[in-house]
Amino acid sequence: MPQVPQTLDALAVRTWCGLALEALGRAREEIDAINVYPVADGDTGTNLYLTVESAAAAVEAVFAGYETVTGVVGPTGSAASGAVSTEVTGAGLPTLADAVRAMAHGALIGARGNSGTILAQLLRGMAQVLAADGEVDGAAGGETDGATDGESAHTDGQALRLALRQAADSAREAVAHPVEGTVLTVATAAAEAATGTEGDCGTVACAAYEGARAALMATPGQLAVLERAGVVDAGGRGLLAVLAALAETFTGESPGAGRVAGEVHTRVNGMDGVSGVDRVDGVGRVDVNGVCVDSGPGEEGPAFEVTYLLEAEDADVARLRARLDRLGNSLVVVGGDGLWNVHVHADDAGAAVEAGVETGRPYRIRITHFGLGDAHTAGAAGRPPRERAQRAVVAVVPGEGLAGLYAEAGATTVLARPGEPPASGELVEAVRRAHAREVVLLPNDADLRHTAAAAAEQARTEGVRVALIPTRSAVQGIAALAVHEPERRFDEDVVAMTSAAGATRYAEVAVAERQSWTMAGICQAGDVLGLIDGDVAVIGSDITATAETVLDRMLAAGGEMVTLVLGDDAPGSIAAHLEARVRESYLAVDTVAYRGGRQGALLLIGVE
């Protein structure tokens, strides 16, 4: 059995996030299928997965920032991805406080849907205890167990008990009108079971899981819509998967092995808790074994789900809560310290956003019409589904300029802003938006290969034929798109696009963010780096001169076409200079230049 952590530390948090993401990935479809409350839109499992995915990514980013030249050297994750950090930070690992704060922040900014937003607050509540300075005491739950050492008090079973209690309490406070039989009930039961348990982290985590499991099985008796549908609460089922991952983190074994499938999915009131749910059918209704039942007490509910991140003073949020509570229902406002995630169901989506504008600065605004014929409500009465296209291309692009270029070529685009890589759920949404039977997916970034693979697998489960071409740069995507022919057989088209991308070498010119060791030597902050095929090949002081050196090295191996993609901060004369260089020194080589916008790198170069 692999070694497992005995106490709460940063590595335990990292392990927990990874296991939770895997567990939700396995359970996502099942959770989506039993989602009937508060709205039967079949996306609770997906929303929880995306929330944890964002939390896990934030934790990984913290670990990447702590990598050192002592023992292991790794990538910084900056635009100059071929560089490696030389920062020395003791053992080279983040503290527990660093990890849990990153986890909570990642969940907050990535939270999706009602249950995802509540889960973000649960994780924030845990972080408030585990990242607290000094001694863990009754402020977080009323017990001390005689702990006197502040560090150990944050890493043992007592700390986990207090964290689970704070998580459940803070989640209830974040929901305007808590309802029993939901994820809140399951969270409270987990905290109560943990509070009554003595022992180490593994013992406490297993007790929390058992308490949550029992509470989950009781949810149909607490919420009429669950009883009518013959299912347990979807959000609670997702939380159970997260708690199972927590227990596995400290024990090396999942407490749900053979049990989640055997007991949580048992028949409820004579109906199978999974297969009994056939489909979501419009707003607020679910088809259960051929019989439509309302998902609420005699009402369909508001038409829109509105979510956004909000930068606002904590003191102003109480007024926002009151206003949104008058506008709609399913109100959850989570966060603190100036950053909030707002979720509400309302008929007047504009008024819900306006309330945020009057309170602070809302962004990442998402408005979903529950009645639209999307992936969750397709086939609703009176709305014949739109005919699918035969084939489409979905591409991740690093800047607004390239997004326009790709769109003109017929691709559906996902914009990856500097420092904000898209999650797999965003790629799945883009595939759905493309609305085609066959989709070619271009991630255009080596670091997105796993994200894109997860999105492709999800899209395949929805009946879409997806081919993932492992493009590592937007210039390789341009080459692939240039030979794309929708009229060809799918396999032939994919082969041609893959061949074109593979025959294109790629490079970028960027500015070093810190002193680093690279394949070309040590660079200083502010140096100009030329990366070829992902590795630093040139370190210079002048952007144009460095770009010319990079281009010469690439063309030394031959080439027929040079593609230049200029970022907003690139010198205005650099394109003309490089084009002249190609004309003068390399016969029969053509050059084309595009404006990429805010793309992170100063310049992208492709040589076919």
Side-chain angles (χ1 to χ4, degrees), residues 35-44 114 280 282-285 295-296 300-302 304-305 329-330 345 370 377:
N35 173 202
V36 298
Y37 183 86
V39 175
D41 51 353
D43 62 358
T44 292
N114 187 283
V280 172
V283 180
R285 300 181 68 81
S295 67
E300 291 189 344
F304 296 97
E305 178 185 57
N329 60 30
S330 296
H345 295 174
F370 290 125
T377 59

Side-chain angles (χ1 to χ4, degrees), residues 408-504:
E408 287 178 8
T412 299
T413 62
V414 178
L415 188 61
R417 296 177 177 83
E420 295 184 19
S424 63
E426 294 178 73
L427 301 187
V428 173
E429 289 177 0
V431 171
R432 291 170 179 160
R433 202 164 64 243
H435 204 63
R437 298 182 181 88
E438 302 166 340
V439 170
V440 179
L441 184 56
L442 306 175
N444 290 342
D445 187 334
D447 291 336
L448 287 178
R449 62 188 184 279
H450 296 306
T451 301
E457 188 61 32
Q458 165 60 23
R460 291 182 188 115
T461 67
E462 298 178 5
V464 182
R465 187 181 184 188
V466 181
L468 171 60
I469 298 178
T471 49
R472 294 174 290 173
S473 170
V475 291
Q476 288 187 324
I478 291 173
L481 200 56
V483 300
H484 169 54
E485 291 185 14
E487 296 78 16
R488 275 193 299 223
R489 289 179 55 249
F490 185 63
D491 292 341
E492 293 177 355
D493 198 30
V494 170
V495 168
M497 295 176 72
T498 303
S499 178
T504 302

Side-chain angles (χ1 to χ4, degrees), residues 209-502:
Y209 171 84
E210 292 294 345
R213 183 178 63 84
L216 177 65
M217 291 304 300
T219 55
Q222 297 172 293
L223 202 54
V225 61
L226 301 179
E227 187 175 26
R228 289 195 298 269
V231 297
V232 296
D233 178 65
R237 172 65 184 90
L239 178 59
L240 190 68
V242 174
L243 291 173
L246 180 63
E248 184 177 356
T249 297
F250 295 108
T251 66
E253 297 180 356
S254 173
R259 176 180 291 159
V260 171
E263 295 183 21
V264 173
H265 300 173
T266 54
R267 293 177 180 272
V268 180
N269 290 347
M271 288 186 285
D272 187 314
V274 175
S275 62
V277 181
D278 293 332
R279 67 179 183 277
V280 172
D281 207 9
V283 180
R285 300 181 68 81
V286 62
D287 190 335
V288 182
N289 292 337
V291 179
C292 278
V293 294
D294 291 328
S295 67
E299 61 181 74
E300 291 189 344
F304 296 97
E305 178 185 57
V306 181
T307 63
Y308 49 82
L309 290 178
L310 178 70
E311 292 179 357
E313 296 295 329
D314 294 11
D316 296 330
V317 174
R319 186 170 63 253
L320 172 67
R321 290 180 193 268
R323 180 169 177 183
L324 291 177
D325 194 27
R326 293 192 297 269
L327 284 174
N329 60 30
S330 296
L331 173 61
V332 186
V333 181
V334 305
D337 302 321
L339 181 63
W340 305 83
N341 192 308
V342 179
H343 171 282
V344 67
H345 295 174
D347 283 321
D348 191 342
V353 174
E354 183 181 348
V357 172
E358 294 180 359
T359 305
R361 186 180 79 88
Y363 60 103
R364 290 194 186 177
I365 300 168
R366 302 174 63 88
I367 299 175
T368 304
H369 194 312
F370 290 125
L372 286 178
D374 58 16
H376 302 308
T377 59
R383 293 188 183 91
R386 177 167 56 95
E387 180 65 24
R388 288 182 179 271
Q390 182 60 36
R391 190 174 308 159
V393 175
V394 172
V396 180
V397 291
E400 295 84 351
L402 278 180
L405 174 67
Y406 273 73
E408 287 178 8
T412 299
T413 62
V414 178
L415 188 61
R417 296 177 177 83
E420 295 184 19
S424 63
E426 294 178 73
L427 301 187
V428 173
E429 289 177 0
V431 171
R432 291 170 179 160
R433 202 164 64 243
H435 204 63
R437 298 182 181 88
E438 302 166 340
V439 170
V440 179
L441 184 56
L442 306 175
N444 290 342
D445 187 334
D447 291 336
L448 287 178
R449 62 188 184 279
H450 296 306
T451 301
E457 188 61 32
Q458 165 60 23
R460 291 182 188 115
T461 67
E462 298 178 5
V464 182
R465 187 181 184 188
V466 181
L468 171 60
I469 298 178
T471 49
R472 294 174 290 173
S473 170
V475 291
Q476 288 187 324
I478 291 173
L481 200 56
V483 300
H484 169 54
E485 291 185 14
E487 296 78 16
R488 275 193 299 223
R489 289 179 55 249
F490 185 63
D491 292 341
E492 293 177 355
D493 198 30
V494 170
V495 168
M497 295 176 72
T498 303
S499 178

Side-chain angles (χ1 to χ4, degrees), residues 101 326 556 603:
R101 285 171 181 151
R326 293 192 297 269
L603 175 69

